Amino acid sequence: MAASSLCSSFTTKAWSNAQSSSSSGCRRKHHKTVTLAGFLRGDFQLLHTTSFPASGSRARRGRRRRSGAVASLGGLLGGIFKGTDTGESTRQQYAATVNVINGLEREISALSDSELRDRTFALRERAQQGQTLDSLLPEAFAVVREASKRVLGLRPFDVQLIGGMVLHKGEIAEMRTGEGKTLVAILPAYLNALTGKGVHVVTVNDYLARRDCEWVGQVPRFLGLKVGLIQQNMTSEQRKENYLCDITYVTNIFIHYITLNFKSWDLQSVEELVVRGFNYCIIDEVDSILIDEARTPLIISGPAEKPSDRYYKAAKIAAAFERDIHYTVDEKQKTVLLSEQGYEDAEEILNVKDLYDPREQWASYILNAIKAKELFLRDVNYITRGKEVLIVDEFTGRVMQGRRWSDGLHQAVEAKEGLPIQNETVTLASISYQNFFLQFPKLCGMTGTAATESTEFESIYKLKVTIVPTNKPMIRKDESDVVFRATSGKWRAVVVEISRMHKTGRPVLVGTTSVEQSDSLSEQLKEAGIPHEVLNAKPENVEREAEIVAQSGRLGAVTIATNMAGRGTDIILGGNAEFMARLKLREILMPRYFLFLNERRISLVEWVRVFRWKVVC
């Protein structure tokens, strides 16, 4: 299965001509791009180029010498920090169990569908009678492998069986991109679901949770297990029903947990609880969830006081104030401080004696207004949709629907944008990611990049990182980064490289860190006449997410994305023919269908029944 992921960092063969024509130099900022074909085939290279302002052949020779030095240093550091563990020790550790599973394949493949499904009930009965899951593992994995062959047309490789065993053991499996982690998760999920206590599979966003539930979730459904899905707009009854399934795909499980455990006074009985007891949790892209996003605590907030026109007044004052004259900004700590001049001018404008007077406290309004001006930028930290300010997740680039900044900050941003101000919120309860996930008796995860955070995983979560070998020898070369001193030179070089790759027909993926960056690069590509697709948090792009992702591997395709589409999204080399066929069928048939309805004056249901055709939606 040819697949790749829109990760947050990519690499390509670098450019030499573009660098010599750019005087921007290479030093601090860096940007990385990947060509999908080269990424999958492993045939791309990276040329390290360092540019300094100089002239003449002597300068060019100097540049070449310095370039070689940088390349050598980058290769040396890459060799030191990349690690040499290919997972062969893991292969040997689990080889005996893999042989047992393979030995059962002929027997299991001879079973009919109903007989294969009956194996689930037999295994569940044995688990409830006290047999350990370890003793049931070979047969359970053999059953899942056969079901996957029949339902998905995919037979898990031996290394995928190893990955499943690592997850069942309660460890983190590091598996390279394209090795099929999504399918791997089904193996331990099915085995641990036999206890009847439930399994949670946590993904980084609702899109992936829905995709995984609908795709690989067919396997446990075929075998007689109930598979549930939690999405944002579900009612409490729908959530409860899905949480009671044998396997539940979810992203925001923690929000429901906090809501019910810290607001338990609203519950009349235990039966009203939505989330069932914790048993076994599999975390996809575990480094993103347990390390990157774990810096932010999980918070439940409630309404505080009514909106105030003070936000608008403060926004006008902040707009008039000048940085380093009226206030200073610490971008790293996300804080602002008023200077003496700022205090005096604010008090004069507001006609108050003290900004911190508890009877008429203005300081928090002014400080939040300045934060909204300097630290919270549109199309970077948030987007506006209609009359709403929607937060953009800094890690995934996705809109965080229903989330609001607390302590009046969200209202300050609304005032800055001139939008209606909604009620303030106050924190009712909070819990850290660490405390939440450690409540699972059995926790595991999988990702393509875990070894670099192995110390953190072991010290914080008591999770061991195990490197799983690849199915075939890795031929891709992971080169070091190209670093630039100035942003302008970086983006010019990126456009030149994209143009060069596009002319050869190679699909190109460009990862950006914000909506603003993706839009800026899009404008530069338009000027260069390069057709492309943009995938970021803007509503018009989110609605076409499935189409953009499905076709980003087509010949000559150029896709710019924040990492919202990235983690875990399969991109098929050559594009998704099935998706395009369905799209084209809809374009051709739907106009004819409506014309037919108008002429015959019959309903859609009647038309489908007459022609026995399922409408493609």
Side-chain angles (χ1 to χ4, degrees):
M1 178 176 63
S4 179
S5 293
L6 280 175
C7 303
S8 59
S9 61
F10 309 109
T11 50
T12 67
K13 181 176 179 181
W15 44 90
S16 53
N17 295 334
Q19 279 297 101
S20 61
S21 64
S22 172
S23 62
S24 58
C26 312
R27 198 164 183 180
R28 284 189 178 177
K29 300 288 185 181
H30 71 275
H31 180 75
K32 301 178 276 186
T33 50
V34 68
T35 57
L36 179 61
F39 181 80
L40 294 174
R41 196 165 54 241
D43 62 355
F44 59 85
Q45 301 174 352
L46 185 63
L47 174 63
H48 301 270
T49 309
T50 306
S51 176
F52 297 89
S55 61
S57 59
R58 182 179 177 183
R60 286 192 292 272
R61 287 195 299 271
R63 279 199 295 269
R64 283 196 293 269
R65 285 196 295 269
R66 283 189 286 268
S67 174
V70 172
S72 300
L73 179 59
L76 175 62
L77 293 177
I80 293 174
F81 293 109
K82 184 167 63 175
T84 57
D85 189 353
T86 59
E88 286 306 312
S89 59
T90 306
R91 189 195 301 271
Q92 295 173 8
Q93 180 183 350
Y94 292 97
T97 308
V98 170
N99 290 336
V100 174
I101 298 171
N102 290 337
L104 294 170
E105 187 166 13
R106 178 174 296 181
E107 173 192 344
I108 299 298
S109 61
L111 300 176
S112 64
D113 288 353
S114 60
E115 290 173 335
L116 188 62
R117 197 172 295 112
D118 289 340
R119 286 297 181 104
T120 297
F121 303 110
L123 288 168
R124 174 174 283 176
E125 185 176 349
R126 288 163 59 187
Q128 293 174 351
Q129 289 175 353
Q131 289 194 31
T132 65
L133 293 181
D134 290 346
S135 65
L136 302 177
L137 186 148
E139 185 175 348
F141 276 32
V143 167
V144 173
R145 171 185 268 182
E146 182 61 29
S148 178
K149 285 168 54 180
R150 298 184 187 186
V151 176
L152 305 177
L154 300 173
R155 177 187 178 276
F157 298 119
D158 288 354
V159 292
Q160 290 177 300
L161 299 179
I162 293 174
M165 285 184 270
V166 170
L167 295 178
H168 168 66
K169 197 175 178 180
E171 298 176 354
I172 292 176
E174 181 182 285
M175 301 183 67
R176 292 296 188 100
T177 298
E179 291 295 299
K181 292 187 290 292
T182 305
L183 184 58
V184 167
I186 287 296
L187 295 160
Y190 171 84
L191 174 62
N192 285 267
L194 297 175
T195 62
K197 297 179 181 179
V199 173
H200 292 106
V201 182
V202 181
T203 62
V204 293
N205 57 58
D206 278 354
Y207 168 72
L208 291 180
R210 183 173 65 253
R211 185 207 67 175
D212 293 353
C213 180
E214 294 174 353
W215 179 43
V216 296
Q218 297 177 79
V219 176
R221 286 193 193 97
F222 173 79
L223 292 172
L225 297 183
K226 293 182 178 180
V227 180
L229 170 66
I230 303 297
Q231 298 280 272
Q232 284 187 4
N233 299 322
M234 287 183 170
T235 64
S236 294
E237 291 73 18
Q238 291 173 322
R239 294 179 191 276
K240 182 175 181 180
E241 180 182 354
N242 282 277
Y243 272 125
L244 290 175
C245 292
D246 298 300
I247 301 172
T248 304
Y249 285 87
V250 62
T251 55
N252 51 352
I253 175 179
F254 41 80
I255 297 299
H256 314 142
Y257 170 80
I258 302 172
T259 303
L260 295 173
N261 283 270
F262 286 90
K263 297 181 68 178
S264 56
W265 54 82
D266 293 335
L267 300 176
Q268 302 299 320
S269 64
V270 177
E271 285 71 23
E272 292 185 37
L273 285 169
V274 172
V275 182
R276 71 190 302 179
F278 293 164
N279 174 44
Y280 178 57
C281 180
I282 303 173
I283 304 176
D284 190 14
E285 302 300 344
V286 65
D287 55 335
S288 174
I289 293 177
L290 293 190
I291 302 295
D292 297 340
E293 298 186 20
R295 293 180 296 174
T296 305
L298 309 170
I299 296 174
I300 289 295
S301 60
E305 60 186 48
K306 294 182 179 179
S308 170
D309 60 352
R310 293 188 180 185
Y311 290 108
Y312 293 117
K313 292 181 180 178
K316 291 180 180 178
I317 293 173
F321 278 9
E322 295 183 27
R323 185 168 180 169
D324 297 329
I325 296 177
H326 296 95
Y327 60 86
T328 58
V329 180
D330 187 336
E331 296 186 358
K332 183 177 181 181
Q333 299 296 329
K334 295 278 188 182
T335 59
V336 298
L337 289 174
L338 284 172
S339 64
E340 288 298 326
Q341 184 69 39
Y343 276 111
E344 292 175 3
D345 289 353
E347 289 169 353
E348 182 180 349
I349 293 170
L350 296 170
N351 194 24
V352 296
K353 294 182 178 179
D354 185 1
L355 292 180
Y356 285 94
D357 187 341
R359 293 170 296 180
E360 196 176 12
Q361 202 268 105
W362 276 96
S364 62
Y365 293 93
I366 301 296
L367 292 173
N368 275 336
I370 296 173
K371 284 183 181 179
K373 172 187 175 182
E374 295 286 350
L375 300 175
F376 293 83
L377 309 177
R378 181 162 60 176
D379 292 340
V380 177
N381 305 102
Y382 66 90
I383 64 170
T384 58
R385 183 185 299 170
K387 296 182 178 181
E388 286 186 285
V389 169
L390 302 177
I391 301 174
V392 174
D393 191 321
E394 64 176 301
F395 303 107
T396 65
R398 289 181 176 273
V399 170
M400 303 172 73
Q401 194 74 36
R403 307 278 186 91
R404 293 177 63 82
W405 290 301
S406 60
D407 301 322
L409 182 57
H410 207 100
Q411 287 74 16
V413 176
E414 290 171 336
K416 181 185 80 170
E417 296 292 338
L419 300 174
I421 295 176
Q422 301 182 27
N423 285 343
E424 286 189 26
T425 57
V426 62
T427 299
L428 300 176
S430 66
I431 188 174
S432 67
Y433 271 67
Q434 291 88 343
N435 288 337
F436 171 74
F437 281 107
L438 286 173
Q439 294 184 76
F440 281 93
K442 194 173 179 181
L443 179 67
C444 67
M446 52 188 181
T447 181
T449 52
T452 52
E453 288 89 20
S454 59
T455 303
E456 292 179 80
F457 284 126
E458 291 197 32
S459 61
I460 299 174
Y461 299 99
K462 305 298 185 291
L463 290 173
K464 177 185 175 184
V465 175
T466 300
I467 297 178
V468 179
T470 54
N471 182 50
K472 293 184 177 180
M474 178 62 66
I475 61 173
R476 185 183 71 226
K477 292 177 63 178
D478 294 331
E479 303 286 0
S480 301
D481 301 341
V482 174
V483 186
F484 290 82
R485 181 173 60 195
T487 305
S488 57
K490 174 184 72 174
W491 290 112
R492 283 198 298 270
V494 168
V495 171
V496 170
E497 177 67 0
I498 291 173
S499 176
R500 187 178 72 83
M501 289 296 177
H502 177 67
K503 289 177 181 178
T504 67
R506 299 175 71 180
V508 180
L509 307 179
V510 186
T512 60
T513 58
S514 68
V515 176
E516 184 181 39
Q517 274 190 2
S518 61
D519 287 342
S520 174
L521 180 58
S522 176
E523 290 299 321
Q524 295 182 55
L525 291 182
K526 286 178 182 177
E527 293 177 3
I530 301 174
H532 61 279
E533 293 282 2
V534 179
L535 183 54
N536 56 31
K538 288 192 172 180
E540 62 269 23
N541 297 324
V542 173
E543 292 173 1
R544 298 181 56 242
E545 177 176 345
E547 178 185 347
I548 294 172
V549 172
Q551 305 313 320
S552 58
R554 299 185 74 188
L555 181 69
V558 177
T559 306
I560 306 170
T562 59
N563 44 351
M564 64 174 295
R567 295 191 167 266
T569 303
D570 288 338
I571 300 171
I572 302 174
L573 188 60
N576 192 322
E578 180 183 356
F579 182 90
M580 288 303 295
R582 294 168 68 183
L583 188 65
K584 185 61 65 176
L585 186 62
R586 181 174 62 186
E587 292 175 357
I588 295 173
L589 294 182
M590 290 307 287
R592 297 181 181 179
Y593 152 69
F594 284 116
L595 179 63
F596 182 83
L597 289 189
N598 290 333
E599 292 176 351
R600 302 289 178 145
R601 295 184 180 181
I602 62 175
S603 68
L604 171 62
V605 175
E606 293 172 329
W607 188 77
V608 172
R609 187 172 64 247
V610 170
F611 290 90
R612 294 183 179 180
W613 180 73
K614 186 176 181 180
V615 177
V616 178
C617 298

